[in-house]
Amino acid sequence: MKNYSIGDMAKKYGVTVATLRYYDESGLLPFVKRNAQGQRIFTDDDLGYLEVIDCLKRSAIPLKAIRQFMAWCVAGDDTLPKRHAFMIEQEAALEAKIKVLQANLAFLRWKKWYYAHANEAGTEQIFFKPGTTQVDPKWRKKYLAEHSEV
Amino acid sequence: MKNYSIGDMAKKYGVTVATLRYYDESGLLPFVKRNAQGQRIFTDDDLGYLEVIDCLKRSAIPLKAIRQFMAWCVAGDDTLPKRHAFMIEQEAALEAKIKVLQANLAFLRWKKWYYAHANEAGTEQIFFKPGTTQVDPKWRKKYLAEHSEV
DNA sequence: CCTTGACCTCAAGTATACTTGAGCACTTAT
DNA sequence: ATAAGTGCTCAAGTATACTTGAGGTCAAGG
């Protein structure tokens, strides 16, 4: 079983050693051992944990929640129901988040189309209801018609 | 054209009036006018802008970037190319973000499956390579086989 | 031997995005 | 006419997630 220094792990996960120390202090790495000199040592056994942390962090889960989960991980089999529930919860949360982002993406694409056309016309005026800066709904309909067969 | 108070908009967008004031101070709302008493007034013309801000905020775009975009919006037709480029950029960024989250979701689902089975067995040990706490790759393969026909 | 490099702790600083509080103005209902 | 409700500014406080700096240990190479 190979050992890894904090510097190795920092490179592997694309963070600074300061960040890893901060994670450790924050309770995200309750599994790290120390050598005789007090230096952190990571092992192959830890790589699975780090993968989970990485996933949760990229999903913008707060450190506090990750800490809780990791505490359960090192606490042993008694916490398996809690860890299972945690995954179910995070799955639902992430699905919801993705749905929101997909709606946002659709909106950005409409706006991109809008600016492409405004740009071509040289002015946004072509879209406005007379006397306002509100987009005439007919343009939105036109866009949706052009992009429905996708 | 209807007018709306800051309180109206706060309700409509599910934020506090303090947050809206903060957004205004931060340059996100360069379009808001004031009445004789110095109170902010929002109009129907502004609703389109707020929709964009809402979308960008939900996509975790920093206020700084949103401020830049809004400045271009009020600057007039000269900034149309920049606004078009902004949308193209944000679309790409959001697509990338969604891809990451979808990969994370797949990972969480595997972990959910893992904990469902560990839970059933009463122990995580069933997954480990002997003498380690590393998951034997055969389980991952089993999971993928069971979930490939989706 | 002594400098370089990687590690350590602890404390303070930074960035972002708000939130809260103090003190004041104006409108409206009792 | 006075109290409640909504609005205002400005300053300070909070939460999260790091980042930076000071000061020190230890092992290896020239």
Side-chain angles (χ1 to χ4, degrees), chain B residues 16-80:
Chain B
T16 67
V17 298
T19 301
L20 277 183
R21 290 205 190 100
Y22 170 71
Y23 286 172
D24 192 15
E25 277 164 43
S26 306
L28 266 61
L29 317 175
F31 49 82
V32 295
K33 305 286 178 292
R34 302 290 185 118
N35 67 13
Q37 280 73 251
Q39 301 184 333
R40 291 170 181 84
I41 44 180
F42 296 77
T43 72
D44 288 316
D45 276 7
D46 303 338
L47 298 180
Y49 291 141
L50 287 169
E51 223 182 327
V52 175
I53 292 171
D54 205 35
C55 170
L56 296 173
K57 281 217 47 65
R58 278 193 318 259
S59 304
I61 312 301
L63 295 195
K64 204 178 153 181
I66 304 178
R67 171 172 56 221
Q68 174 64 277
F69 179 76
M70 295 314 301
W72 286 333
C73 281
V74 297
D77 286 334
D78 287 354
T79 63
L80 283 171

Side-chain angles (χ1 to χ4, degrees), chain A residues 1 44-45 51-52 55-56 58-59 69 73 77 80-81 83-84 87-88 90-91 94-95 97-98 100-102 104-105 107-109 111-112 115-116 118-119 122-124 132-134, chain B residues 1 44-45 51-52 55-56 58-59 69 73 77 80-81 83-84 87-88 90-91 94-95 97-98 100-102 104-105 107-109 111-112 115-116 118-119 122-124 132-134:
Chain A
M1 184 139 68
D44 288 316
D45 275 8
E51 223 184 325
V52 175
C55 169
L56 295 173
R58 280 193 317 261
S59 303
F69 179 76
C73 281
D77 286 334
L80 283 171
R83 287 186 266 167
H84 186 213
M87 287 301 165
I88 290 169
Q90 296 306 327
E91 181 194 22
L94 195 47
E95 280 169 350
K97 195 178 281 184
I98 289 173
V100 167
L101 291 188
Q102 273 164 344
N104 292 358
L105 182 57
F107 183 79
L108 287 186
R109 284 179 174 152
K111 281 290 161 184
K112 186 181 75 167
Y115 282 118
N119 217 350
T123 177
E124 244 178 314
T132 76
T133 59
Q134 295 161 50
Chain B
M1 185 138 69
D44 288 316
D45 276 7
E51 223 182 327
V52 175
C55 170
L56 296 173
R58 278 193 318 259
S59 304
F69 179 76
C73 281
D77 286 334
L80 283 171
R83 286 186 267 168
H84 186 213
M87 287 300 164
I88 289 169
Q90 296 306 328
E91 182 194 19
L94 196 47
E95 280 168 351
K97 194 178 282 183
I98 288 173
V100 168
L101 292 187
Q102 273 164 345
N104 293 357
L105 182 57
F107 184 79
L108 287 185
R109 285 180 174 152
K111 280 290 163 185
K112 187 180 77 168
Y115 282 118
N119 218 348
T123 177
E124 244 180 311
T132 76
T133 59
Q134 297 163 48

Side-chain angles (χ1 to χ4, degrees), chain B residues 110 113 137-150:
Chain B
W110 141 248
W113 180 91
K138 78 178 180 196
W139 289 101
R140 176 72 179 156
K141 279 179 198 122
K142 187 166 188 277
Y143 169 79
L144 290 173
E146 279 180 26
H147 294 81
S148 59
E149 72 282 346
V150 179

Side-chain angles (χ1 to χ4, degrees), chain A residues 37-104:
Chain A
Q37 281 72 251
Q39 301 185 334
R40 291 170 183 85
I41 44 178
F42 296 77
T43 71
D44 288 316
D45 275 8
D46 303 339
L47 297 180
Y49 290 142
L50 287 168
E51 223 184 325
V52 175
I53 292 171
D54 205 35
C55 169
L56 295 173
K57 281 217 48 65
R58 280 193 317 261
S59 303
I61 311 301
L63 296 195
K64 203 179 153 183
I66 303 179
R67 171 173 55 222
Q68 174 63 276
F69 179 76
M70 295 314 301
W72 287 331
C73 281
V74 296
D77 286 334
D78 286 355
T79 63
L80 283 171
K82 282 176 178 176
R83 287 186 266 167
H84 186 213
F86 178 88
M87 287 301 165
I88 290 169
E89 227 175 90
Q90 296 306 327
E91 181 194 22
L94 195 47
E95 280 169 350
K97 195 178 281 184
I98 289 173
K99 263 192 192 147
V100 167
L101 291 188
Q102 273 164 344
N104 292 358

Side-chain angles (χ1 to χ4, degrees), chain A residues 120-139:
Chain A
E120 211 181 320
T123 177
E124 244 178 314
Q125 299 291 333
I126 57 163
F127 286 109
F128 296 157
K129 286 189 283 187
T132 76
T133 59
Q134 295 161 50
V135 176
D136 190 314
K138 78 177 179 196
W139 289 101

